[in-house]
Amino acid sequence: MLSNLSLQTKENIFQQILSKSALFVAAVLSLFFLTLLLKSLPALWSNGFNFFTGTVWDPLTGEYGAFSLLYGTLLTSVGALLLTLPLALSIALFLGEFFRQGLAASALRLSVELLAGIPSVVYGFWALFVLVPLIRRLETTLGIVPFGVGILTAALVLAIMIIPYAASLSAEVIKLVPQDIREAAYSLGATRYEVIRRVILPYARSGICAGILLAFGRAFGETMAVTMVIGNANKMPASLFDTGNTMASLIANELAEATDPLYVSSLAQIGLLLLAVSALINLAGRSISKKFSVET
Amino acid sequence: MTNTINNTLRWRQLLDKVFFGVICFFSALSVLPLILILGYLLVKGVTSLNWQFFCRVPQPLGETGGGILNALCGSLLLLAVAFLLAVPLGLFVGIYLAENKKNRLADCARLSVEILQGVPSIVIGLVLYTWLVLPLKSFSALAGGAALALMMLPVSVRSTEETLRLIPPELKEAALALGVPYYRTILRVVVPSGLSGIVTGVLLSLARVAGETAPLLFTAFGNPFLSLALFQPIESLPHLIFYYATSPYAEWHRLAWGASFVLVAGVLFLNLAAKFLTRRWRVQF
């Protein structure tokens, strides 16, 4: 049948398919936003500002304050970022500056790639059986209630998970630092440490920031590994060892059993917030890294 | 005078050595979790593998034995649905983006793909739940596959676009100059020369979604029985791991370790296959 069509028609059909599929993708994303927005409208209306300031999340009384969840999300993801930073920067310098080739570099590169490939549910499972008992022992020696699960455990798992995201982009950027400015610094008598601190890191700053930002976005939206080890308690965590909850993990736990329309709508509102924040982080990270790649 | 200079010099050299030591220490430290995780998976996972594990469904509580056949079949079906939904669309969008660098539709589509890449997986699950589960009134393999497709799409679009960008324009111009129609030039000349990159992208995107649990929680849901129906709830490997890992039963933990081992092996195999293909097929220009 297709062979009967004239060349012009075939050409048109092909062009149409291409542009329509591009249009389709844009439409799907707009629909995505719209769906969440429409779903969360009743909650936006009824929760009002209490959504951001209230600390009580209680579907029974119909009170939906998400501040404790926001706090829990920030605590785990910022904690994870702080724990990852020394590791990821070390890897980036190791692969980008000290050892670009060789056995050690390939081994480290392979290990980072493997780390990125492990599914988050496996991280959670492993953490549940290995990290949680360790933390519990630590808590017993410190004399705190030994939950084992909690903010600190979640931050630890997240830190391991986001190492590859922060490290690989930073390593690439450090490799891109022009050789002549390195050599200029060496010829002035700088040691390697001074070259890295005064020349390489300032030059690669924006790219490293982009990597860190993308890793933060990843930690911010991560669900499974967190939900398995954070304890899922919808309250303000009193300390790092206390149980808590994050926005993503709350949706995972409660959507399936939410029946009240306002309840579902409040969960959608949390989803909307997650989407908006991670879209902003992601776009910022990408625009920084894009600007950088144009410069070099 | 010389003494102070020597002292500062010694201090600077010491600092340099200490810094190098710290970098090496932290780099080595970061390998530790990987070794621990893989070690645990090997020790706990391999011991729970046997032929029953691959060809039986989970047994009721209290009975030993049983396997993960339902999750294996379910995962394969979900991946197949996601593949069919995402790859052709991703290919077309990728071609469009590579061919139209600057127009408004291309910019919109590119922005959408970038945003989509960063959407937390749980939010994708939430939206697909309202799109496909609520109207159809049932959790289904179709909804799960669609959720995974939405996660695959950005990777396959970007890899197609980036690969096709690298193909020299002379190739296309030569074909057009010979009088080959535009659509044939794209489908017969440009796409085949970028095939290794496109296939790599597809494999990587499959590896990315094979381990996703969060979008399946309220789309594919889970199913303790063997099912291959599109409109019924279906089990998947990551969901089985999540469900069994958080249960209190030792027998279920054993199944979860085995399933984790199989899942990680599968994902790593896809990653390695992607790497191997790029090396083997790469067309040099």
Side-chain angles (χ1 to χ4, degrees), chain A residues 7 10-11 14-15 17-29 31-33 35-36 39 86-87 89-91 93-94 98-99 107-108 110-123 125-126 128-130 160 163 188-194 196 217-218 220-224 227-228 248-249 251-253 255-256 258 264 267-268 270-272 274-275 278-279 282-283 286 290, chain B residues 12-13 15-16 19-20 22-24 26-31 33-34 36-38 40-41 44 89 91-93 95-97 99 105 108-109 111-131 134 139 150 153 157-158 181-184 186-187 207-208 210-214 217-218 221 238-239 241-242 244-246 253 256-257 260 263-264 267-268 271-272 275:
Chain A
L7 197 59
K10 281 188 200 163
E11 210 72 305
F14 186 67
Q15 293 280 8
I17 290 177
L18 288 190
S19 61
K20 285 286 149 33
S21 34
L23 194 65
F24 181 72
V25 169
V28 164
L29 191 85
L31 255 181
F32 202 88
F33 262 107
T35 312
L36 275 180
K39 264 277 170 196
L87 295 177
L89 276 184
S90 299
I91 296 176
L93 284 173
F94 194 94
F98 286 104
F99 299 98
L108 188 61
L110 182 71
S111 121
V112 170
E113 275 171 21
L114 291 183
L115 218 49
I118 294 176
S120 67
V121 67
V122 175
Y123 276 111
F125 188 24
W126 176 78
L128 202 58
F129 281 79
V130 178
I160 299 174
I163 288 174
L188 289 174
T191 62
R192 197 156 205 178
Y193 164 71
E194 285 157 349
I196 289 173
R218 174 86 194 168
F220 194 84
E222 177 50 45
T223 318
M224 297 321 293
T227 205
M228 290 166 89
S249 143
I251 301 176
N253 279 311
L255 183 67
V264 178
L267 289 173
I270 289 186
L272 186 66
L274 261 180
L275 177 61
S278 48
N282 220 38
L283 286 182
R286 273 176 212 289
K290 212 170 277 168
Chain B
R12 283 169 58 201
Q13 282 173 337
L15 199 63
D16 186 48
F19 180 70
F20 181 65
V22 168
I23 294 283
C24 288
F26 275 129
S27 300
L29 189 66
S30 65
V31 183
L34 179 79
L36 281 176
I37 293 175
L38 291 185
Y40 250 83
L41 280 180
K44 294 255 190 179
L89 184 64
L91 192 62
F92 284 132
V93 178
I95 294 175
Y96 184 82
L97 292 184
E99 290 296 305
L105 180 58
C108 276
L111 186 71
S112 309
V113 169
E114 274 180 10
I115 293 179
L116 202 57
Q117 183 146 38
V119 175
S121 50
I122 187 78
V123 179
I124 290 189
L126 179 64
V127 171
L128 261 295
Y129 173 76
T130 56
W131 280 357
L134 289 181
F139 298 109
L150 217 49
L153 192 63
V157 170
R158 289 176 71 89
Y182 178 73
Y183 77 97
R184 282 190 152 234
I186 298 290
L187 292 180
R208 182 189 175 204
E212 281 294 340
T213 321
L217 282 175
F218 9 84
F221 194 66
H239 182 266
I241 296 169
F242 173 61
Y244 282 6
T246 47
H253 292 161
W257 280 117
S260 303
L263 181 63
V264 169
V267 169
L268 294 187
N271 276 322
L272 285 183
K275 232 178 164 179

Side-chain angles (χ1 to χ4, degrees), chain B residues 173-194:
Chain B
E173 283 160 14
L176 290 174
L178 288 172
V180 182
Y182 178 73
Y183 77 97
R184 282 190 152 234
T185 311
I186 298 290
L187 292 180
R188 292 287 170 85
V189 177
V190 177
V191 171
S193 25

Side-chain angles (χ1 to χ4, degrees), chain A residues 10-211:
Chain A
K10 281 188 200 163
E11 210 72 305
N12 277 338
I13 291 174
F14 186 67
Q15 293 280 8
Q16 285 293 319
I17 290 177
L18 288 190
S19 61
K20 285 286 149 33
S21 34
L23 194 65
F24 181 72
V25 169
V28 164
L29 191 85
S30 327
L31 255 181
F32 202 88
F33 262 107
L34 265 179
T35 312
L36 275 180
L37 198 62
L38 281 180
K39 264 277 170 196
S40 55
L41 266 186
L44 281 171
W45 200 251
S46 118
N47 295 339
F49 214 66
N50 187 40
F51 180 78
F52 292 104
T53 53
T55 56
V56 182
W57 179 274
D58 189 358
L60 288 179
T61 55
E63 204 179 340
Y64 301 103
F67 182 71
S68 59
L69 304 166
L70 262 171
Y71 184 67
T73 311
L74 277 180
L75 218 52
T76 48
S77 44
V78 171
L81 205 58
L82 291 180
L83 288 169
T84 303
L85 219 49
L87 295 177
L89 276 184
S90 299
I91 296 176
L93 284 173
F94 194 94
L95 292 179
E97 173 66 22
F98 286 104
F99 299 98
R100 293 200 186 179
Q101 275 129 25
L103 194 65
S106 336
L108 188 61
R109 200 170 291 128
L110 182 71
S111 121
V112 170
E113 275 171 21
L114 291 183
L115 218 49
I118 294 176
S120 67
V121 67
V122 175
Y123 276 111
F125 188 24
W126 176 78
L128 202 58
F129 281 79
V130 178
L131 274 185
V132 168
L134 275 179
I135 301 279
R136 198 173 284 148
R137 203 174 302 156
L138 178 71
E139 282 171 337
T140 329
T141 42
L142 287 177
I144 319 169
V145 192
F147 289 120
V149 292
I151 301 282
L152 181 68
T153 323
L156 269 173
V157 189
L158 280 178
I160 299 174
M161 291 178 68
I162 61 176
I163 288 174
Y165 295 87
S168 52
L169 188 60
S170 306
E172 289 307 309
V173 174
I174 287 174
K175 259 186 213 164
L176 286 178
V177 175
Q179 198 60 32
D180 41 353
I181 66 168
R182 275 194 185 116
E183 280 160 11
Y186 281 129
S187 73
L188 289 174
T191 62
R192 197 156 205 178
Y193 164 71
E194 285 157 349
V195 173
I196 289 173
R197 176 143 175 245
R198 301 280 161 93
V199 177
I200 294 180
L201 288 185
Y203 193 92
R205 194 177 46 206
S206 59
I208 294 174
C209 285

